[in-house]
Each structure stands twice: as C-alpha cells, then as structure tokens.
C-alpha cells in the first residue's frame, strides 16, 4: 500500500520535513496547515517541491470548528473554506481533513452537522476537493468514529467521507470492529498512531505522547485489518504528535516512521494469512468523479486524484532471532584501566587480532574485545560493537536492510573475515556471527590469533545483558529497532529515579533470555550518566566473584548502609548473609515467584562499567528497584573523584 506521513510528525522546516519523508521512502505527505503558514514557499512551490521529491500531497489538514454552529458563524466558516479549497488546488491536494468541532458555540444536533457538512462538500466539489470528517476524541459533541460516520452517512454527499485516526478510536476504547460497517470508499483517509497506555487527559495524551505504531500499547495492526476489510484503498498515513520527534532530527525520525509502517504491514499481512480470508467489499479505486472548479484561475495540471491500487507489502525476510552474545567490543585510547578491571574480574587475554590493535579477553563464554586502534570520542572508553550469535547471519542482515537499518561494509579491512553488520540507532555496530561454525564466513575468530588460555577458575560464565543508554531522542526508535529488526521481545517500560532526573528503561530480550539488552533514556541530556553503558556478567557465585575482584585490588562500587538497613526490613536472610552483601556492596532483589538477583558494580572507565550478577530461581529482571541506589552511588563516586581531581 502507499505510505504517507503527516508533516507534524517530523521536526524542522517544511522543506526539511518533505526531504526527510522522501528520503525515507514515503510516497506522500499530509501537509499540516501550520507548516504551510510558516513556509516561505508558495503553495505552488510546495507542490513543485513535492513533485520533485516524488511525493504526493495526500491530505491537507486540519480545518476546525466548521459544523453545527449558528448560521452566521457557519457563513463565515464557508468563506474560510472557499479560500482553503482554492489553496488546495494550488497545492495539488485533493482531500482536506475536517475535525469534529470543539467550538463552544457548536450545538448537539446531528441533523444540523450533516446539513452543514453537505453544504461544505458541495462547495468542495466545485474545487475538485473531498472532505474527510474526523472525530477528535475530545470533540465537543462528536468524539467517536461511529458517530462521525453516522453524520457523514446522513449527509449523503459523494465529496464527503470520513477520516479514521487510530489514536482517536483506540484512546476512547471504541470497538474497532464497527469499522467494517463503513463502506471502504467512504473512508477517505486513514491516520495511524500508537501511544503508551497509561492514560491521561486525552487531549494532552494526543498532542504530546503519540508515537509510531509498535512503540506504544495500542493494537494498531488489529485496527488496520478492520479498515482493510472494508476495501479502503487510500494510504496508510502516520499522524504522530510527539514532543520528542518535534525536536529530533527529521531524517532519522522519518526512517523510524517508515520502519514502523513496514513492520506494521508485515504484522497485518502475517496475521491475515493465518486467518480465514475476510469477506472483502470490492473497493472502487477512483473517488467519485468531481466537477472541476469553475472559479480556479490556475491552469495547473490536476493533482493525481486516483489513489494507487492496493499493492502487496514488499516481502520482508522473516526475523532471525539472535541466540546469544558472541562478544562486546570496547574502544578506548588507553587499554590499561579497562583491562585492569577485566583482569581483576578473572578475564585473561586469549587472542590478538592479526592486523589491528584489538585484544580478545575471555572468561567462560564471555568475550570482550578491547580495541585501541579506533577513534574514541571525548567521553572516553565506550562500547562500540556487539557480536550477536545468529542462526543465519545473512538472513538477519537481509531483514535489517529491508527494515531500513544502515547496513555496514562486510569487511572493516581487506584481510578481515566478512561479517554481516548493521548500525543500531545509537550508532552501536551489531555483527551477526556464527562463532565456530564457518571459518570462511561469519566466524570473527578467524581474524584472531591465540595468545593464551581462559582461566579455568569458576567465575564469569557469559554476558548476561548489556545496558545501553540511548540518546534521549532515539529511545522509542531504539525499542522499535530491536523489536522489529532483531525480532526481540520488549518488556514494559519502567522508570528509574536518578538523583538528577528520571530514567525510562525498557528491556528487550530473546525467548530464552540469552540475549538481553536494557535500553535506557536519561532525563537530562547534559548529565554524564545519560551516556553510561554497562556489561553485566553472569556468575554462579557472585560473592566469590566479588571477593576475587576485591582481592585483586579493585574496588567495588560502595553502597550506603541505609540500603542494607532497608533490605533487613524487607527480607529475612540467613545468618551473616546480609553482612556479606554489606561488606562487598552487593545489591539484592527478589521477584514474586521467589527468584533472586544479586549484583554488584565496578567503577566506571570512560562511559563503561561492569556488573557481576547472579540469578537464582528463574529471576528474569534487572534489579530496577536497586537502580536508583546504584545511580546515586555512581554520582557520589564521580563527585568525590572530581574533588580530588581524578
Ligand atoms: O490535535 C489536533 O487538533 C488534531 C488535529 C488534526 C488531527 O488529524 C488530529 O488527529 C488531531
Ligand atoms: Mg488525526
């Protein structure tokens, strides 16, 4: 199907928005009136710009507070509409959105609303324009899609149809099955948005917190299926009001938006194939014939009034879910502080890259690459790449590419083993690996020469999870990326209090928990915790591992006594157990099923720190309840070392 995006969903000037939408591969746009008013381009120039970019203007919007008002006011509204319809011809837009009225003067009278909309549609028809009437969830008298449709039906005018907006429908809790009672040719437009579920005042919710499908909690795919069963043949158009997207760069937001529609179409297609085919009302592919406007002076080529025929979603290769971490790669100018920590944790340097200053440090199945040959940003050591074990590295990369992930060159140097890799939204390079499976392809170990043996002592077994703080304006994008591109499942988001802000965190994982990534966004983009990244190592005995680390002369993050007093009040411990945790700085958490989590932290080097973690009894969490204590302790350490100039 054709895809479209409202300019309100992207940041920047109208020109920047159009360019970003076109580059991301959208077919068309909804032009928001404010974007047009603020643009130095004339409507004809905007039309030409869109044409140059290969974009159609699928909708002009919104017109507000038109219907069911006193006669004199309605006369003024018609005058306003005449101007806008003229503008739309210049713009090459054939459909205008009319929102249900929020005017205090509007009356609760469906017959009057229908009569006014019919009159409006009559005028619109003279200009070759169609009216799509949309129920705003906070409309004064019309706030549900079925009510808007009843009025459209009563008006009975060929140039009047309805606009469905998934936000207004799903935020009101309306039953989307009723959509199938609307003939597809009377659905003039479909706007899609998701939103997080915790409800608030619906207007604030809509204006600030909409997000792209797959990023929130609505069943947008379910709604789209109902719409498609009517025979609707217009575009799938994203209309997302979101404070973050309004500020972030338009180009990545547009790509994020397109990825969400690709994943949505995949979901709709897949689910549809599993069900018995739904009865489809055949959709007329052309709107009702419209008389050209006699008043228009402009000898413009008429805007394309024919929606493109329904085309199948281009096939997206099936998800190839990663089955473990192959490695994590840290880049740093000075290896010693990091390798000092790794050595104290029990890691040994086991291999060296054949041609680059990259060392492999290993313990159990945990592998850390320390790279001193790459460009390091101002904030020091950082995690630059992650190797994911993949049952089909090429297939994983093909899917990533189909979902618009930037595909990286397969070889970083001519002599390297070819590896499929893509970039995550935060720039982390993700390598799809088949460690030990195929020496010619996807076995990154082929580039390394053994220089030692991993320690035999029991300690770290593998990487348990990565915690990656995302740039604040890429958080929702990152969650959708990991879900759609990598096929990981996303858990609900949790809020973690930091001394200087609130961090939203959402974990993504594979079904058996061998790949877990906690994505976090900080509240204050200037604060250094915002950029922190950590690698958590799984151990079967966190107390022994912590002791060994400390005995090697490395300090663990000190945790305040108050934390342990609270633990004592909360849980019963065996004799001496709590004292051990207190002595070592081990944090403790228990889930409802009695599973437990014990974990402790190293100091931070650049952006990076390590965690030792022991899960028992099937605990699947990350210790979110302990995170505020950990964050405060890290602040305290940073402040203290700043005071001594360290
Ligand atoms: O918030 C609004 O006013 C508004 C305007 C136009 C729309 O299509 C919409 O869904 C909401
Ligand atoms: Mg809308």
């Amino acid at each position: 199907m054709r895809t479209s995006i409202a300019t309100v969903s992207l940041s920047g000037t109208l020109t920047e928005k159009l360019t970003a939408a076109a580059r991301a591969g959208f077919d068309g746009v909804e032009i928001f009136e404010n974007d047009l008013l603020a643009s130095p381009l004339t409507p004809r120039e905007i039309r030409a710009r869109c044409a140059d970019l290969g974009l159609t203007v699928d909708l002009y919007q919104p017109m507000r507070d038109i219907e069911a008002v006193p006669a004199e006011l309605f006369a003024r509204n018609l005058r306003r509409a005449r101007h806008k319809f003229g503008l739309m011809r210049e713009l090459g837009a054939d459909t205008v959105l009319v929102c249900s009225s929020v005017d205090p003067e509007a009356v609760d009278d469906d017959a009057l609303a229908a009569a006014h909309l019919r009159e409006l549609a009559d005028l619109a028809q003279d200009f070759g324009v169609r009216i799509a009437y949309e129920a705003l969830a906070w409309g004064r008298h019309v706030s549900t899609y079925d009510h808007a449709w009843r009025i459209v039906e009563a008006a009975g005018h060929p140039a009047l149809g309805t606009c469905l907006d998934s936000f207004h429908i799903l935020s009101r809790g309306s039953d989307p099955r009723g959509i199938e009672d609307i003939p597809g040719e009377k659905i003039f437009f479909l706007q899609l948005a998701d939103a997080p579920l915790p409800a608030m005042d619906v207007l604030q919710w809509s204006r600030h917190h909409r997000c792209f499908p797959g990023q929130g909690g609505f069943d947008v795919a379910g709604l789209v299926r109902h719409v498609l069963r009517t025979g609707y043949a217009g575009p799938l158009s994203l209309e997302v009001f979101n404070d973050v997207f309004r500020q972030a760069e338009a180009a990545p937001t547009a790509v994020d938006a397109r990825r969400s529609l690709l994943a949505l179409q995949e979901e709709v297609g897949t689910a549809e194939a599993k069900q018995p085919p739904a009865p489809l009302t055949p959709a007329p592919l052309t709107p009702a014939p419209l008389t050209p406007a006699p008043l228009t002076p402009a000898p413009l080529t008429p805007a394309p009034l024919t929606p493109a025929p329904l085309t199948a979603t281009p096939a997206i290769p099936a998800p190839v879910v990663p089955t473990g971490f192959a490695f994590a790669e840290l880049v740093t100018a000075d290896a010693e502080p990091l390798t000092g920590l790794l050595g104290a944790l029990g890691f040994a340097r086991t291999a060296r890259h054949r041609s680059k200053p990259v060392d492999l440090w290993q313990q159990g199945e945990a592998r850390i690459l320390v790279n001193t040959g790459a460009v390091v940003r101002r904030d020091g050591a950082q995690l630059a790449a992650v190797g994911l074990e993949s049952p089909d590295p090429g297939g994983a990369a093909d899917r990533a590419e189909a979902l618009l992930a930037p595909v990286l060159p397969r070889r970083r140097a001519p002599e390297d083993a070819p590896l499929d890799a893509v970039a995550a939204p935060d720039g982390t390079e993700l390598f799809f690996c088949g460690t030990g499976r195929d020496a010619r392809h996807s076995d990154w170990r082929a580039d390394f020469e053994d220089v030692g043996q991993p320690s035999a002592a029991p300690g770290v077994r593998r990487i348990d999870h990565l915690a990656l703080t995302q740039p604040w304006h890429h958080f929702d994008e990152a969650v959708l990326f990991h879900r759609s591109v990598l096929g990981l499942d996303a858990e609900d988001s949790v809020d973690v209090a930091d001394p200087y802000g609130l961090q939203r965190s959402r974990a993504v994982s594979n079904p058996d928990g061998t790949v877990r990534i906690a994505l976090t966004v900080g509240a204050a983009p200037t604060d250094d915790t915002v950029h922190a990244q950590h690698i958590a190592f799984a151990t079967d005995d966190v107390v022994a591992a912590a002791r060994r680390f400390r005995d090697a002369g490395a300090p663990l993050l000190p945790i305040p006594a108050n934390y342990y007093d609270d633990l004592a009040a909360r849980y019963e411990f065996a004799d001496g157990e709590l004292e051990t945790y207190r002595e070592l700085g081990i944090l403790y958490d228990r889930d409802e099923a009695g599973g437990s989590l014990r974990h402790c932290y190293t100091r931070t080097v650049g952006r990076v720190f390590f965690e030792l973690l022991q899960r028992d009894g099937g605990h699947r969490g990350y210790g979110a309840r302990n995170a505020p204590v950990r964050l405060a302790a890290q602040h305290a350490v940073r402040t203290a070392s700043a005071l001594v100039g360290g």
Side-chain angles (χ1 to χ4, degrees):
M1 293 186 79
R2 288 165 35 76
T3 59
S4 183
I5 186 167
T7 53
V8 74
S9 316
L10 300 171
S11 108
T13 64
L14 181 59
T15 310
E16 287 165 345
K17 293 171 189 232
L18 296 176
T19 307
R23 292 232 173 105
F26 281 95
D27 303 302
V29 285
E30 303 177 21
I31 294 201
F32 238 71
E33 185 157 270
N34 279 351
D35 285 318
L36 178 129
L37 298 186
S39 174
L41 301 182
T42 65
R44 283 203 221 189
E45 285 167 339
I46 295 170
R47 175 197 193 129
R49 180 65 60 94
C50 288
D52 285 348
L53 290 167
L55 292 171
T56 52
V57 182
D58 293 331
L59 189 76
Y60 182 67
Q61 76 136 323
M63 282 177 60
R64 300 182 191 273
D65 298 332
I66 296 279
E67 78 286 13
V69 289
E72 179 214 344
L73 184 50
F74 182 65
R76 269 188 276 144
N77 290 349
L78 274 186
R79 181 176 166 279
R80 173 158 59 98
R82 178 183 291 274
H83 273 273
K84 299 298 175 187
F85 296 157
L87 179 152
M88 286 176 61
R89 285 196 64 91
E90 310 227 322
L91 195 57
D94 71 322
T95 307
V96 63
L97 183 146
V98 171
C99 301
S100 63
S101 184
V102 299
D103 193 325
E105 289 200 57
V107 292
D108 186 7
D109 181 344
D110 285 2
L112 184 63
H116 282 168
L117 288 173
R118 190 182 317 118
E119 216 173 312
L120 183 75
D122 247 344
L123 178 64
Q125 192 166 35
D126 291 343
F127 286 83
V129 162
R130 311 190 305 167
I131 307 285
Y133 182 55
E134 172 191 57
L136 294 178
W138 55 90
R140 191 163 175 82
H141 302 294
V142 178
S143 57
T144 58
Y145 78 90
D146 45 316
H147 192 180
W149 162 238
R150 282 199 303 278
I151 291 172
V152 167
E153 193 177 26
H157 194 290
L160 176 68
T162 190
C163 169
L164 299 177
D165 179 324
S166 65
F167 180 86
H168 298 303
I169 296 170
L170 298 174
S171 66
R172 300 269 333 189
S174 298
D175 184 347
R177 283 177 299 188
I179 292 171
E180 295 187 38
D181 299 335
I182 308 174
E185 71 274 14
K186 293 305 268 184
I187 302 174
F188 280 5
F189 212 73
L190 172 62
Q191 297 176 312
L192 299 177
D194 203 340
L197 283 185
M200 55 196 91
D201 166 70
V202 69
L203 188 135
Q204 297 303 316
W205 190 16
S206 176
R207 293 261 174 87
H208 302 277
H209 300 282
R210 291 192 188 200
C211 53
F212 296 123
Q215 296 176 344
F218 286 160
D219 180 12
V220 181
L223 181 141
V224 170
R225 271 183 220 121
H226 292 301
V227 176
L228 295 185
R229 287 197 193 118
T230 70
Y232 171 76
L236 299 178
S237 190
L238 294 168
E239 188 201 26
V240 168
F241 302 81
N242 179 298
D243 297 354
V244 173
F245 298 155
R246 277 178 193 268
Q247 293 182 63
E249 234 182 300
T253 308
V255 172
D256 181 29
R258 269 275 289 161
R259 180 177 301 130
S260 98
L261 273 191
L262 288 168
L264 177 80
Q265 287 172 278
E266 180 186 43
E267 196 181 340
V268 169
T270 322
E272 203 71 3
K274 284 196 203 123
Q275 290 172 1
L280 280 183
T281 330
L285 291 178
T286 36
L290 297 172
T291 338
L295 296 177
T296 327
L300 288 172
T301 340
L305 289 180
T306 324
L310 263 172
T311 47
T313 314
I316 296 169
V320 182
V321 181
T323 52
F325 290 112
F327 62 81
E329 178 172 343
L330 302 173
V331 298
T332 180
D334 174 15
E336 207 289 317
L338 280 178
T339 58
L341 289 181
L342 289 170
L345 285 166
F347 281 75
R349 193 172 76 104
T350 59
R352 180 158 183 90
H353 197 279
R354 294 183 195 280
S355 57
K356 281 180 281 189
V358 181
D359 284 333
L360 169 60
W361 288 72
Q362 187 167 353
Q363 185 176 184
E365 292 296 306
R367 302 178 200 89
I368 304 295
L369 300 178
V370 179
N371 183 345
T372 49
V375 180
V376 183
R377 292 210 315 232
R378 191 172 45 85
D379 36 6
Q382 62 175 295
L383 185 137
V386 176
L388 295 168
E389 291 295 353
S390 175
D392 174 10
D398 289 346
R399 176 175 176 83
E401 184 167 22
L403 288 169
L404 313 176
V407 174
L408 302 172
R410 297 191 74 231
R411 288 177 205 272
R412 292 202 270 189
E415 63 279 12
D416 288 356
L419 278 181
D420 290 293
V422 299
D426 66 351
T428 304
E429 298 183 353
L430 302 177
F431 289 89
F432 300 116
C433 306
T435 308
R437 278 212 314 271
D438 180 346
R440 283 166 304 119
H441 308 288
S442 64
D443 188 0
W444 57 281
R445 290 292 313 262
D447 293 340
F448 285 80
E449 210 162 19
D450 288 346
V451 297
Q453 288 298 313
S455 137
V460 164
R461 287 203 293 112
R462 54 185 186 83
I463 294 176
D464 179 274
H465 67 269
L466 304 175
L468 304 179
T469 307
Q470 300 297 304
W472 64 280
H473 50 297
H474 288 300
F475 180 73
D476 286 326
E477 177 188 356
V479 173
L480 178 62
F481 177 93
H482 286 84
R483 286 177 74 177
S484 62
V485 173
L486 302 181
L488 300 176
D489 301 319
E491 285 163 36
D492 290 343
S493 72
V494 291
D495 288 334
V496 173
D498 171 90
Y500 302 101
L502 195 65
Q503 297 191 350
R504 197 148 70 92
S505 179
R506 210 167 167 194
V508 292
S509 59
N510 68 354
D512 69 359
T514 50
V515 173
R516 303 173 199 251
I517 304 175
L519 301 162
T520 301
V521 64
T526 52
D527 189 86
D528 15 330
T529 54
V530 165
H531 304 295
Q533 301 167 320
H534 80 259
I535 303 176
F537 296 120
T539 171
D540 294 333
D541 187 346
V542 73
V543 170
R547 283 232 159 86
R548 176 163 74 175
F549 182 72
R550 211 186 46 176
D551 292 347
L556 285 160
L557 182 72
I559 301 298
N562 290 347
Y563 171 78
Y564 294 99
D565 295 343
D566 177 61
L567 273 191
R570 205 187 283 273
Y571 307 114
E572 285 188 38
F573 291 96
D575 271 355
E577 187 182 351
L578 194 57
E579 285 59 44
T580 305
Y581 300 158
R582 197 191 284 270
E583 172 207 341
L584 292 167
I586 290 174
L587 300 161
Y588 182 89
D589 186 41
R590 205 178 288 179
D591 65 17
E592 300 83 51
S596 69
L597 182 73
R598 281 166 265 215
H599 53 142
C600 57
Y601 295 88
T602 71
R603 73 182 180 87
T604 304
V605 174
R607 297 173 58 182
V608 180
F609 59 96
F610 301 110
E611 174 180 2
L612 282 166
L613 165 154
Q614 178 180 349
R615 298 178 183 277
D616 287 293
H619 193 292
R620 285 185 61 88
Y622 300 79
R625 200 183 349 195
N626 295 329
V629 175
R630 187 256 299 168
L631 287 161
Q634 288 175 320
H635 272 291
V637 167
R638 245 197 320 277
T639 312
S641 59
L643 286 178
V644 298

